[in-house]
Amino acid sequence: MATALTLLLEGCASRPINEPITRADPESSYSVVRHVERRPDRDRSTLLVLAFSGGGTRAAAFSYGVLEELRRTPIVVEGRPRRMLDEVDIITSVSGGSFTALAYALYGERLFSEYESRFLKRDVQGALVARVLNPFDWPKLLSPGYGRSELAADYYDEILFEGATFGDLVGRPTPVAVPSATDLMTGDRFPFEEENFNLICSDLGKVRLARAAAASSAVPVVLSPVTFNNYGGHCGFEYPLWLRAVVANRNPDLDTGRALQRYEELVQLQDSATRPYLHLVDGGVADNVAMREIVEVLQTIDVTRGLEARPLLRDVRRIAVIVVNAASSPSVDWGRIESPPGIFDQLWQASSVPIDRYSYESISLLNDIVSRWALERRLAIAEARLAGKRELEEGLGGPLVELYAIDVSFRDIADPDERRYFENLPTSFVLSAEVVDRLRDVASRLLSASPAYRRLVQAVGGAAAQSPAIIPH
């Protein structure tokens, strides 16, 4: 008995502690701007961003199918043969989509030979349940701060991430991955990016990818929050130039709300005496389509009436956002039955409906920005022609940037039976190999059929593609 107790006690574990820094160094770690700018053979005139939604393995497989289609799409940039996948600069993600984003950032081309067997077609959920029920893992789970998500992170390292950190991604030719979690206390999104970790005076480079994935997918109640130490206010953090410009030039005629809200979030995180800990849960709670970061950038351009506010955007004349939205819409017949749904159905609906509504609003807002910029561009061109100008000056009618918003989602499947099939897939971390393959296939077909995507391919140097039919299997 004594020996068994000793073994159990030796199995105790504590959560990893993110390391503090004494000085926020803008030239260190995994910077979005520097990583993108240093990618080899990058087309500086185009910024291509992917946004991977939440939804467990359903979202992971759906986003993987989009990567496969981008990989199959040939283009020619400045006389060099390329693929659309090579033009991807940034991948924002939440929950299930974060596994695909981080795995591609780490693996690159290896992803297409290993990801299916290592993650997509593995019973991740069953393995996690087995570990929680394993008595030899109980001492870890009973340790302060460790929790079920830390157990999950260790498992993700075993099967997928191999202990890699954000520092291991520096210098790789792959897109920069920005997974997000949700701050449980405030409901604010918490992206795993250099600026955010400089803000809390910690080193992003030493954070494990598995732990970021665990935080991004920590469904409340089902999985425990992932806790990080906040050392903010003690390392000389300076707010970025674009944010200082927005705060200094508050204009009631411009929509600065999101930028100012972000400023308030940063101010709160600087007060580590009041908030020494951050408890992070599933990123889908705050933003299930990983769109808020992108919308804030575009609204910042609006506010400043130019691209100087963001260094990465100075040479950009074309911004493309591909929103990979794996949101489900399970069929229910509650309106036909007099008795109300049970407590668990009510809880699920109460949490998922607001998230899905907010996701829809985010996509609508992006489309509104696209439409308004297109109108402003046409007006600016017309005015310049009337004035006899050959070249448009930046600032006429807004930034002279073409904006492509491409939405890849189940609701664009033409066949109603096939659409219902995908919309009723569960949000879990286990799907059959057949379902995974169907998700990959429909993602590819939906992307290639998108008129906005075909226009983008032509704009960056690809041939005009015929619109494939979205037909059932």
Side-chain angles (χ1 to χ4, degrees), residues 215-229:
S216 184
S217 59
V219 178
V221 181
V222 176
L223 291 165
S224 59
V226 176
T227 300
F228 281 81
N229 287 27

Side-chain angles (χ1 to χ4, degrees), residues 1-10:
M1 178 66 71
T3 302
L5 181 60
T6 300
L7 289 174
L8 284 174
L9 290 174
E10 287 177 350

Side-chain angles (χ1 to χ4, degrees), residues 58 327-331 410-411 418-425:
R58 183 185 69 244
S328 63
S329 182
S331 302
F410 299 144
R411 65 172 171 266
E418 187 183 24
R419 184 169 62 251
R420 278 193 295 271
Y421 169 82
F422 286 107
E423 289 182 337
N424 280 276
L425 289 176

